[in-house]
Amino acid sequence: MADVDVFSDIPTTTLADLLGRGQVMDIGIRPLWGPVPRVAGPAFTVRCPPGDNLMLHAAIYRAAPGAVIVVESGDLDYALAGGNVCAVAQRRGVTAFVADGLIRDLAEVREARFPVFARGVIPIPGTKSAARPLNERVRCGGVSVDPGDVVVADEEGVVVVPAARREEVLAAARAKLAKEAEETLDAWESAHRAKVDGILRGQGFEDVQGGVRG
């Protein structure tokens, strides 16, 4: 079985090309500081009801080193975590947070260089009262995430590779990158222009300057 760490060598753009829109989190889940390194790890999933962050705070002591903690929240009124929670998670080996919600203490998080992908920041924290099961299917950024799915995140966005497909996707991604590395820009431009002109021609587009005729 492929080590999840190797996915940190695969750009999210490559994975998105292979997996399609359904496995790519929406534009609101963004890195909160930059330049952020590409990160990859198995999902440790958390569900927090609106206004409550108890289970994320519990998760930092339960997630294995290397895990990406993925949080379903949908709450944009209270912070799920702050600087100390991020610092402890980092010290315990958590790779990153990917949260459908907000954090606070961004300056501390940025200084520690702990990768957080979320919807933004707000200074007020949530409460801690709602216990929920950990490591069940969650929905984050419009994507269903199961425990153990491979989460890859960089400045382009966040992609979720289903655990059952990780060997297949890794092999396809490596093949795609190798092919792209062998192709010169001149060759790419020639093939690209032929493709675009062919589509235009097929739709009856006329371009006097470019020479495309319907």
Side-chain angles (χ1 to χ4, degrees):
M1 183 173 289
D3 290 333
V4 174
D5 287 350
V6 299
F7 277 89
S8 62
D9 294 329
I10 311 295
T12 54
T13 49
T14 300
L15 295 171
D17 287 346
L18 295 170
L19 290 166
R21 181 67 188 86
Q23 296 304 119
V24 180
M25 292 191 187
D26 70 53
I27 191 173
I29 311 296
R30 305 298 298 171
L32 295 189
W33 56 267
V36 68
R38 183 178 304 120
V39 297
F44 185 97
T45 56
V46 179
R47 183 177 290 108
C48 291
D52 198 281
N53 60 29
L54 174 64
M55 296 317 297
L56 173 55
H57 290 229
I60 66 173
Y61 301 108
R62 291 161 175 80
V68 173
I69 294 182
V70 179
V71 189
E72 176 184 320
S73 168
D75 172 22
L76 300 181
D77 295 311
Y78 299 92
L80 291 163
N84 284 343
V85 169
C86 292
V88 171
Q90 184 179 43
R91 185 166 66 181
R92 294 182 62 84
V94 171
T95 295
F97 286 170
V98 174
D100 203 330
L102 311 174
I103 70 158
R104 68 178 194 163
D105 302 327
L106 180 58
E108 295 176 28
V109 176
R110 181 173 55 237
E111 183 176 358
R113 296 187 61 79
F114 180 65
V116 175
F117 299 78
R119 294 200 181 272
V121 296
I122 198 168
I124 186 167
T127 59
K128 297 171 183 61
S129 60
R132 296 289 187 274
L134 292 169
N135 261 343
E136 294 188 341
R137 175 176 288 188
V138 300
R139 194 158 179 86
C140 183
V143 178
S144 293
V145 185
D146 287 311
D149 285 351
V150 181
V151 180
V152 184
D154 60 21
E155 62 185 3
E156 301 280 352
V158 184
V159 180
V160 179
V161 181
R165 296 187 60 194
R166 70 181 190 179
E167 301 267 4
E168 164 209 338
V169 171
L170 180 61
R174 284 173 165 167
K176 188 175 190 298
L177 290 170
K179 181 179 178 182
E180 291 172 352
E182 293 174 354
E183 186 177 44
T184 66
L185 181 58
D186 287 343
W188 184 92
E189 180 183 1
S190 178
H192 178 258
R193 180 166 185 173
K195 178 180 179 180
V196 171
D197 285 354
I199 295 170
L200 292 175
R201 192 174 293 110
Q203 297 188 24
F205 180 81
E206 294 190 9
D207 182 354
V208 175
Q209 289 182 336
V212 177
R213 292 286 190 274

